[in-house]
Amino acid sequence: MDDGLKSELTKQGIYVVKLEQLYNWGRSNSVWPLGFGLACCAIEMIAASMARFDLSRFGAEVFRPSPRQADLMIVAGTVTKKMAPQVVRLYNQMPEPKYVIAMGACAISGGPFKQGYNVLKGIDRYIPVDVHIPGCPPRPEALIHAFMTLQRKIDAQKVFGPDRARHFDASQPSEFPIPLYGEHDLVPAKNPNVWEPPVVVR
Amino acid sequence: MSAATETSAGAVQTLTFPDAGQTGFQRRAEVIGVGREGELLEVAMGPQHPSTHGVFRMDVVLDGETIVKLKPVFGYLHRNHEKIAENTSYLGSMPYTDRLDYFCSLTNNWAYALSVEKLAGLQVPERAEYIRIITAELTRLLNHTCLAGFLLQDMGALGTPLMYAFREREKILDLFESLSGARMMCNYMRFGGCRCDLPPGWLDAAKKVVAEYPKFLDEFETLLSGNEILMARTQGVGKVSAELAVNAGLTGPMLRASGVDYDLRKVDAYGIYARYPFRIPLGSHGDVYDRYMVRMLEMRESLKILEPALKDIPEGPVVDPKAKLRGFRPKAGEAYGRIESAKGELGFYLISDGSPNPYRYRVRPPSLINLTVLEDMCLGQTVADAIVSLGSVDIVLGEVDR
Amino acid sequence: METLEQIKTRAERVVPGAQLTIIKNDSPSAQHSLLVAVEHAFAVAKFLRDDPALRLDYCSNVSGVDFLDAELSEKVKVKKVVDGVEKEVEEVRKTKRAGYLEVVYHLYSMSLKHGPVILRQRTGNRSDTVAVMSLTPLWRSAEFQEREVFDLYGIHFYGHPDLRRILMWDGFKDHPMRKDYQEPDDYEYEPTPHDDVCDKTKAHYPKQEVKA
């Protein structure tokens, strides 16, 4: 629509927006995280929701205890192989649209504990991750920055068209297979549909 | 208890509640024998649960609301710290010790540095000892304050005491950040002293925080310690007798709440604790309220150590000039060093074979051993009491699972 | 507290047939330990706990240690005939030592406020005789720690009330803290590899031809 017409209508008190913008505006300003802290990063996540750094001004005050009521899973801390099936199960239980923030070096790639037999080298081996926050632990300000990045990502999601968001596309999966406890390792070690090791040219 | 309501016809109808004689705030924990009609319900509480303080799971078998059996399950945060340490040098393991009890990183660092100093026979200069005791007591304040906040959150006071506790925590974390560069994972102690000296102005900032702390504690205690709901929910809950506490190897405030006088700061007198007269609060019942009160009183005693230590700290080097940091190879042998961390006795058992990496590196985790009595504490009580008892044990999963 | 030699003499008197060995510790910490055979471990531990002079009622730490088969070499001064003259020559003597697993207990006393007394139990070897006595009936604090030693080292404890895995999941087959444990290979993506991790990563990529 012509910008001049838009500003004329605005002066009269009539606002013209696309359905996408309204839909995304409502969703991005009230993202409810799942109360799910694994390790040290969880303490910084709690500190980010406390009085000094205050995550609730972004709409994320209510940390839901149940995954059925949450939009966002902040994987804060090291994901071990013993815990990985539970993380994937919780992700599957969340209703669409859902997002994942991998907080801290451990959730991104195993972090300082990379050489551990029980450490999963990154939660993005099994579930798709939207925002990665580096740090060990990342400061609460970094978590707020990640929140704002996620909000911008949600604002840019489309409702119609070939590149529409995942939850509008019936062919995209919203639940991912849960790994099983094997005798020496998890079975399968990674989900090839979600994660392939990036090719590094040396 | 009875209530009167007016029906639509105008007559007054009196309703009597079945448990007349008990007010809403009085509860008696009665052991209900298994034999009533119905089935036992097996519930897994955790690993994702708002009140399990991390990824901890309790498999409880319930008869109604009463717990008949409770088995703790952990290992969900087993990060192979001991195996990684066998492949890393002694100094390289220092950042990993921060992540053990991730709430109090500086006491973990001190415990490890103490064990290596015992193994290698290193001496620590005076100024470093003062810095160590100051940071350890600040950490103890931090830990006990936040524990009170978390305990109250488990009881249903969603967020408010925790907000107050974290407000004070932020002040102390600012001190740690200016000292070592990081808020939580400080990595500050070295074998033979500390990594670097105090920045200018740090002592004045610390004195200010310590001077304002008693006022905050008074505010906190006014809201909490005499609170009717807190007292009703914690008195008589989660009792541990003194004999069981000693035999189960409990340490820290859990042990002292059962009445046993054993505090490593007095028994081992490591560091310069012997110079400061501070008292050890002891409980008499061993229940959750005693543990809470022991922690509150311990905080006040910590302030009695902090105030003179901040005044008396001498000038001097902060690391032993003879200590070698690079190429550190202690003689073959073993040592077990322990300190009184905020949770209990944190010990490191190191076996060296003369190489730069330790041969065996073992952490004695206070939280894991304090969990031994979880089942005994919770049998015969309701699920709500089990949550409160677990909160009072003060576990941090990084330490339990390492 | 009495010295370790005095404790050893008294324990050998109280428990018939027990032969305790003092393992010396060369480090400045001077924490020497007592090695006890598996058959007498429970009786010796009971004596240590109940004896009125010792009263070691607090078992602080239980750890497992793994010693692989090793070749020990020591320099020995031997009289030898060299060029017709008898001289003292230093010779390196190598002895083979079979591998074993060990459980180390650190005992303190809360009532008398002394300690530590360090007790050790050794298994026969690392493959089939891997059982020792559990001291959990005496000290409840050993309950979870002995389970952890079983989980990570594979040492079986006779008399433990509930011996099962504690840190790894139940279907796990290996004992990860042993020195010869092979960890699973999931090092496909290493942004900053170093040392042996670099080699593990390179194995996942096809060999790249270097262009002249």
Side-chain angles (χ1 to χ4, degrees), chain B residues 10-304:
Chain B
V12 175
Q13 188 188 36
T14 322
L15 306 165
T16 351
F17 295 100
D19 54 345
Q22 282 188 337
T23 66
F25 289 140
Q26 272 177 352
R27 266 188 302 103
R28 303 274 177 265
E30 288 155 43
V31 179
I32 302 173
V34 180
R36 282 164 59 150
E37 280 177 33
E39 285 181 353
L40 294 177
L41 184 67
E42 194 169 321
V43 180
M45 291 174 58
Q48 188 265 337
H49 195 276
S51 70
T52 50
H53 300 268
V55 281
F56 177 68
R57 184 172 127 206
M58 292 194 282
D59 282 337
V60 291
V61 176
L62 296 172
D63 173 30
E65 272 274 326
T66 321
I67 293 179
V68 171
K69 194 165 132 180
L70 187 151
K71 288 277 174 239
V73 180
F74 29 86
Y76 291 101
L77 198 59
H78 180 50
R79 295 186 281 198
N80 326 315
H81 176 206
E82 298 180 359
K83 187 90 185 178
I84 292 175
E86 286 178 9
N87 296 328
T88 322
S89 63
Y90 283 90
L91 191 57
S93 293
M94 187 62 96
Y96 289 94
T97 59
D98 284 326
R99 288 148 176 91
L100 275 175
D101 171 4
Y102 38 80
F103 234 90
C104 340
S105 74
L106 282 159
T107 40
N108 302 349
N109 286 347
W110 188 6
Y112 182 50
L114 193 86
S115 309
V116 175
E117 282 153 17
K118 265 200 177 152
L119 181 67
L122 297 170
Q123 298 298 320
V124 182
E126 276 286 299
R127 190 169 165 89
E129 289 281 17
Y130 273 87
I131 296 179
R132 283 180 172 187
I133 198 174
I134 290 169
T135 46
E137 293 306 312
L138 282 173
T139 314
R140 198 180 308 271
L141 285 178
L142 216 172
N143 179 280
H144 288 333
T145 315
C146 291
L147 178 78
F150 281 121
L151 184 68
L152 266 294
Q153 180 160 29
D154 288 346
M155 279 193 239
L158 291 172
T160 311
L162 196 61
M163 287 264 180
Y164 282 67
F166 266 71
R167 183 190 73 193
E168 295 308 309
R169 183 168 183 257
E170 293 291 335
K171 292 183 192 158
I172 299 181
L173 286 185
D174 278 343
L175 286 176
F176 289 164
E177 188 177 7
S178 63
L179 179 67
S180 69
R183 279 155 55 99
M184 269 166 62
M185 310 303 178
C186 299
N187 187 16
Y188 180 64
M189 305 294 173
R190 294 288 179 264
F191 313 133
C194 305
R195 189 180 95 214
C196 55
D197 206 344
L198 302 174
W202 194 87
L203 280 172
D204 297 320
K207 281 180 195 157
K208 189 155 163 290
V209 169
V210 170
E212 289 173 354
Y213 222 83
K215 204 170 102 201
F216 159 70
L217 280 180
D218 290 334
E219 178 191 51
F220 215 48
E221 288 211 23
T222 316
L223 289 173
L224 296 179
S225 295
N227 188 309
E228 205 180 30
I229 302 181
L230 178 81
M231 283 173 32
R233 280 207 67 178
T234 58
Q235 282 177 344
V237 169
K239 278 193 170 184
V240 176
S241 68
E243 297 82 35
L244 178 62
V246 172
N247 193 260
L250 302 187
T251 46
M254 272 203 83
L255 175 70
R256 294 194 281 278
S258 301
V260 180
D261 180 12
Y262 193 75
D263 186 325
L264 292 179
R265 296 178 286 172
K266 295 275 192 196
V267 169
D268 280 354
Y270 56 94
I272 47 170
Y273 278 107
R275 293 185 202 177
Y276 297 105
F278 61 97
R279 295 177 297 173
I280 307 290
L282 293 176
S284 42
H285 302 278
D287 56 10
V288 173
Y289 190 69
D290 274 358
R291 286 177 212 138
Y292 164 80
M293 282 312 292
V294 160
R295 290 186 170 110
M296 287 288 140
L297 293 168
E298 263 186 23
M299 281 203 270
R300 295 200 190 264
E301 300 297 323
S302 289
L303 290 169
K304 283 196 210 152

Side-chain angles (χ1 to χ4, degrees), chain C residues 10-205:
Chain C
R10 287 211 297 136
E12 284 173 348
R13 219 180 307 139
V14 169
V15 180
Q19 284 290 317
L20 300 173
T21 328
I22 293 190
I23 310 275
K24 280 252 175 257
N25 179 7
D26 289 328
S27 78
S29 71
Q31 286 173 347
H32 311 291
S33 38
L34 278 177
L35 172 66
V36 66
V38 174
E39 313 80 72
H40 309 289
F42 195 85
V44 170
K46 196 163 193 313
F47 157 73
L48 289 174
R49 189 188 72 164
D50 297 334
D51 178 60
L54 289 173
R55 285 236 286 220
L56 296 165
D57 48 10
Y58 167 46
C59 174
S60 164
N61 179 32
V62 179
S63 14
V65 195
D66 184 14
F67 291 97
L68 292 169
D69 297 334
E71 215 177 49
L72 300 171
S73 58
E74 43 176 339
K75 293 201 174 110
V76 179
K77 284 201 164 68
V78 167
K79 283 206 166 74
K80 260 190 164 174
V81 178
V82 177
D83 295 333
V85 182
E86 204 175 300
K87 269 206 264 184
E88 244 192 32
V89 173
E90 250 188 27
E91 201 182 67
V92 176
R93 200 168 283 175
K94 292 196 187 240
T95 40
K96 274 205 188 325
R97 185 205 67 192
Y100 54 87
L101 299 162
E102 212 174 54
V103 186
V104 185
Y105 295 83
H106 284 79
L107 305 167
Y108 286 82
S109 170
M110 279 200 191
S111 30
L112 300 178
K113 306 222 184 341
H114 61 216
V117 170
I118 306 176
L119 199 62
R120 299 179 109 98
Q121 289 191 65
R122 263 184 211 170
T123 64
N125 56 30
R126 293 173 79 243
S127 44
D128 42 8
T129 41
V130 285
V132 298
M133 287 302 293
S134 162
L135 301 185
T136 306
L138 293 170
W139 293 290
R140 188 85 190 269
S141 60
E143 185 183 341
F144 285 169
Q145 303 191 71
E146 285 180 351
R147 270 179 70 184
E148 183 189 327
V149 173
F150 165 68
D151 184 4
L152 299 179
Y153 282 93
I155 302 177
H156 189 90
F157 287 89
Y158 286 132
H160 192 281
D162 181 20
L163 194 65
R164 55 195 163 98
R165 284 196 182 259
I166 194 172
L167 290 176
M168 302 304 293
W169 58 86
D170 282 323
F172 199 69
K173 279 271 181 292
D174 302 315
H175 297 289
M177 278 297 284
R178 288 202 180 186
K179 297 276 179 188
D180 54 359
Y181 168 68
Q182 288 296 321
E183 53 181 357
D185 185 12
D186 40 2
Y187 291 95
E188 307 94 325
Y189 175 53
E190 274 286 331
T192 55
H194 55 93
D195 304 344
D196 47 345
V197 181
C198 191
D199 298 325
K200 286 185 208 168
T201 323
K202 281 196 187 137
H204 282 271
Y205 291 99

Side-chain angles (χ1 to χ4, degrees), chain B residues 334 345 359-360 362 364 402, chain C residues 25 58 60 64 66 145:
Chain B
E334 59 178 51
E345 172 185 322
Y359 186 79
R360 172 74 170 113
R362 151 93 185 160
R364 187 259 183 215
R402 281 151 291 131
Chain C
N25 179 7
Y58 167 46
S60 164
D66 184 14
Q145 303 191 71

